[in-house]
């Protein structure tokens, strides 16, 4: 099968969406399919870089969200490339520039579109004109409009499915959790601990992810004050970067815990498993997660976590060997301290490994391919009814959306 993944976000940008797409591409390729990435240019990628199977389209930084990008032209080129690749199906991963471009290409080539809804936009409205331009109601209208002509929607969790159902989207919705590669060998975190200056047996708490305000990392910092009261030798390692980093550093300083907190910034994606393995416990105080990738990564590295409840985690956490879902502040602190004293036993490892069965990368890839196969079978019966060319309104909209907004007229 020839598959086109259309996304505004891909490496070297670091995010849960980029990780999800890379995992999907790697797994579908391993299962014998040809997968091509259609994405934006990036300042960190030289124009002449050799990136087999990746096609980048001219883009600009998104206003208010400068580490994300929007393509401003390229739909004609994208159609030509897709024809040459003989794509069977398009899987869009964004509702913005590359997502719209993917729908245009699919219309021209008479092939179906599957979409993954990654982002709970109601949690991000403050990035656009400080929340004064878009409202939750306008998000509902925009998402319904985007999903009007797709053949299926992938929801990474039941939480996302519930939101989409409330939007009354017209396309079928299927819950498929994003998978995580499970290493065949035990992950070794000793080099990370040594590089961070940890003594043997010194407790390490890990927070890993994009440092955005909606991730609520300040609660983790506040809770760590009480952790230090009980275990003064503990340290909190915060891996990642983002718009909230400066504010979080100020918060840690105001709490008087900077000596026990390390902000590492971004780390190489391939090094992430070692950071999980180095920690005694992974923590997250975010209440806006839709995919749960980091929790599965912790399990894959054989480590427990402490988090807030969500539909995805409620189904995943069946034993304390996997994690603790804290209902309040005290339970959050107690959960962290509890894993300092809990032996990371062979039984715990077995329980985590069993829980990974339905959320590993292999299962993820198999479920996506099964969905593609079903969509293709159902789509072929109606493909001949589609118009071959873009209608005038759609073509005009594409040109306005994807042209350079800064060019001289």
């Amino acid at each position: 099968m020839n598959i086109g993944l259309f996304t505004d976000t891909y490496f070297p940008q670091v995010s849960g969406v980029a990780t999800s797409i890379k995992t999907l591409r790697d797994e579908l390729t391993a299962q014998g399919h040809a997968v091509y990435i259609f994405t934006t240019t990036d300042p960190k990628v030289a124009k002449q870089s050799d990136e087999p199977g990746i096609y980048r389209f001219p883009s600009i930084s998104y206003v208010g969200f400068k580490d994300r990008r929007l393509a401003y032209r390229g739909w004609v080129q994208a159609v030509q490339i897709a024809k040459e690749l003989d794509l069977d199906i398009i899987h869009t991963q964004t509702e913005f520039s590359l997502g719209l471009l993917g729908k245009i290409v699919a219309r021209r080539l008479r092939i179906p579109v599957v979409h993954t809804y990654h982002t709970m936009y109601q949690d991000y409205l403050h990035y656009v004109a400080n929340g004064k331009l878009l409202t939750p109601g306008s998000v509902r209208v925009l998402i319904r409009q985007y999903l009007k002509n797709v053949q299926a929607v992938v929801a990474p969790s039941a939480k996302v499915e519930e939101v989409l159902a409330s939007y009354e989207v017209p396309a079928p919705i299927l819950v498929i959790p994003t998978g995580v590669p499970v290493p065949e060998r035990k992950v070794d975190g000793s080099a990370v601990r040594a590089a961070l200056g940890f003594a043997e047996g010194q407790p390490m708490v890990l927070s890993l992810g994009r440092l955005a305000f909606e991730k609520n990392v300040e609660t983790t910092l506040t809770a760590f004050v009480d952790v230090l009261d009980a275990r003064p030798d503990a340290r909190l390692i915060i891996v990642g970067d983002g718009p909230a980093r400066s504010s979080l550093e100020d918060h840690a300083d105001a709490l008087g815990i900077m000596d026990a907190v390390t902000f590492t910034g971004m780390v190489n994606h391939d090094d992430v498993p070692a950071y999980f393995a180095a920690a005694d416990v992974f923590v997250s105080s975010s209440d806006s997660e839709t995919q749960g990738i980091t929790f599965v990564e912790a399990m894959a590295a054989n480590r427990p976590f402490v988090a807030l409840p969500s539909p995805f985690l409620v189904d995943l956490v069946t034993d304390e060997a996997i994690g603790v879902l804290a209902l309040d502040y005290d339970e959050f602190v107690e959960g962290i301290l509890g894993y300092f004293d809990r032996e990371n036993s062979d039984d715990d490892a077995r329980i985590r490994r069993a829980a990974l069965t339905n959320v590993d990368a292999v299962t993820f890839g198999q479920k996506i391919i099964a969905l593609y196969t079903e969509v293709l079978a159902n789509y072929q019966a109606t493909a001949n009814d589609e118009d071959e060319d873009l209608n005038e309104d759609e073509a005009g909209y594409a040109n306005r959306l994807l042209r350079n907004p800064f060019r001289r007229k």
Side-chain angles (χ1 to χ4, degrees):
M1 195 179 296
N2 295 328
I3 302 158
L5 303 181
F6 284 67
T7 175
D8 290 329
T9 302
Y10 197 63
F11 290 103
Q13 297 177 43
V14 178
S15 69
V17 175
T19 299
S20 170
I21 295 167
K22 185 179 186 302
T23 299
L24 180 60
R25 184 195 191 197
D26 291 347
E27 188 53 43
L28 297 185
T29 300
Q31 294 184 23
H33 303 280
V35 184
Y36 305 96
I37 304 289
F38 291 69
T39 190
T40 56
T41 53
D42 191 284
K44 297 178 182 178
V45 178
K47 289 183 179 180
Q48 304 304 319
S49 294
D50 183 21
E51 297 182 285
I54 299 178
Y55 301 92
R56 295 187 181 272
F57 298 85
S59 64
I60 57 173
S61 294
Y62 177 65
V63 176
F65 210 174
K66 295 187 183 301
D67 57 346
R68 296 293 178 260
R69 304 187 66 81
L70 294 174
Y72 57 76
R73 69 168 183 254
W75 73 270
V76 173
Q77 180 188 10
V79 170
Q80 292 171 342
I81 293 171
K83 280 183 177 179
E84 293 173 2
L85 297 175
D86 193 24
L87 294 185
D88 296 300
I89 194 167
I90 284 173
H91 190 162
T92 57
Q93 309 278 337
T94 172
E95 296 77 25
F96 295 103
S97 59
L98 264 296
L100 290 161
L101 190 150
K103 291 183 67 178
I104 291 167
V105 172
R107 176 73 177 268
R108 288 298 298 266
L109 300 187
R110 295 181 180 176
I111 59 176
V113 180
V114 170
H115 179 71
T116 294
Y117 189 75
H118 288 283
T119 305
M120 304 286 271
Y121 290 106
Q122 61 267 36
D123 296 326
Y124 294 80
L125 297 181
H126 56 280
Y127 284 111
V128 183
N130 292 322
K132 298 177 182 178
L133 184 62
L134 293 176
T135 66
S138 59
V139 169
R140 178 180 183 273
V141 172
L142 290 170
I143 296 306
R144 280 194 66 191
Q145 184 64 26
Y146 178 84
L147 297 177
K148 187 176 181 181
N149 296 313
V150 305
Q151 278 63 58
V153 182
V154 175
S157 67
K159 179 180 179 180
V160 175
E161 179 189 32
E162 181 179 338
V163 168
L164 292 174
S166 72
Y167 291 170
E168 298 179 339
V169 302
I173 305 168
L174 185 66
V175 177
I176 301 179
T178 299
V180 169
V182 179
E184 295 182 4
R185 300 178 181 177
K186 180 181 178 181
V187 181
D188 185 6
S190 59
V192 168
R193 289 183 65 90
L196 293 170
F198 274 83
E200 185 174 353
Q202 184 178 10
M204 174 176 163
V205 180
L206 176 68
S207 172
L208 185 147
R210 187 169 181 274
L211 300 186
F213 293 99
E214 64 275 2
K215 299 299 183 181
N216 198 31
V217 181
E218 63 271 15
T219 296
T220 294
L221 287 168
T222 302
F224 196 63
V225 174
D226 289 323
V227 171
L228 288 172
D229 284 343
R231 290 295 300 267
D233 59 335
R235 284 176 60 191
L236 171 63
I237 306 300
I238 299 179
V239 176
D241 212 338
R245 178 171 176 173
S246 177
S247 176
L248 291 170
E249 290 174 337
D250 290 343
H251 187 55
D253 187 48
L255 292 170
I257 60 173
M258 276 300 284
D259 289 345
V261 179
T262 299
F263 289 82
T264 69
M266 291 291 188
V267 301
N268 189 296
H269 180 70
D270 294 337
D271 295 334
V272 166
Y275 276 85
F276 279 108
D280 292 278
V281 57
F282 168 64
V283 300
S284 172
S285 47
S286 172
D287 58 2
S288 64
E289 298 303 311
T290 59
Q291 301 194 59
I293 293 176
T294 51
F295 304 110
V296 180
E297 287 176 327
M299 292 167 59
N302 194 30
R303 289 297 180 268
F305 56 80
V306 177
L308 306 186
S310 73
F312 173 79
L313 291 177
V314 167
D315 290 338
L316 185 65
V317 178
T318 57
D319 192 284
E320 284 193 0
I322 298 169
V324 167
L325 301 182
L327 297 177
D328 56 36
Y329 178 88
D330 290 338
E331 287 188 6
F332 194 80
V333 173
E334 291 168 4
I336 295 171
L337 293 172
Y339 284 118
F340 290 168
D341 299 325
R342 183 186 177 99
E343 180 186 359
N344 198 22
S345 66
D346 290 341
D347 283 343
D348 283 358
R350 176 182 54 77
I351 291 169
R352 292 177 194 130
R353 178 73 62 166
L356 283 169
T357 302
N358 292 323
V359 289
D360 65 352
V362 174
T363 303
F364 178 44
Q366 290 172 343
K367 289 182 177 180
I368 291 292
I369 286 298
L371 175 60
Y372 291 168
T373 302
E374 181 179 357
V375 165
L376 283 165
N378 293 333
Y379 183 80
Q380 289 170 356
T382 60
N384 291 332
D385 295 333
E386 298 289 338
D387 294 332
E388 181 174 359
D389 296 320
L390 294 173
N391 62 47
E392 184 176 349
D393 289 341
E394 189 173 10
Y397 177 61
N399 280 319
R400 291 194 302 274
L401 176 75
L402 300 173
R403 65 178 172 83
N404 185 345
F406 301 115
R407 71 181 181 185
R408 294 181 180 179
K409 297 185 179 180

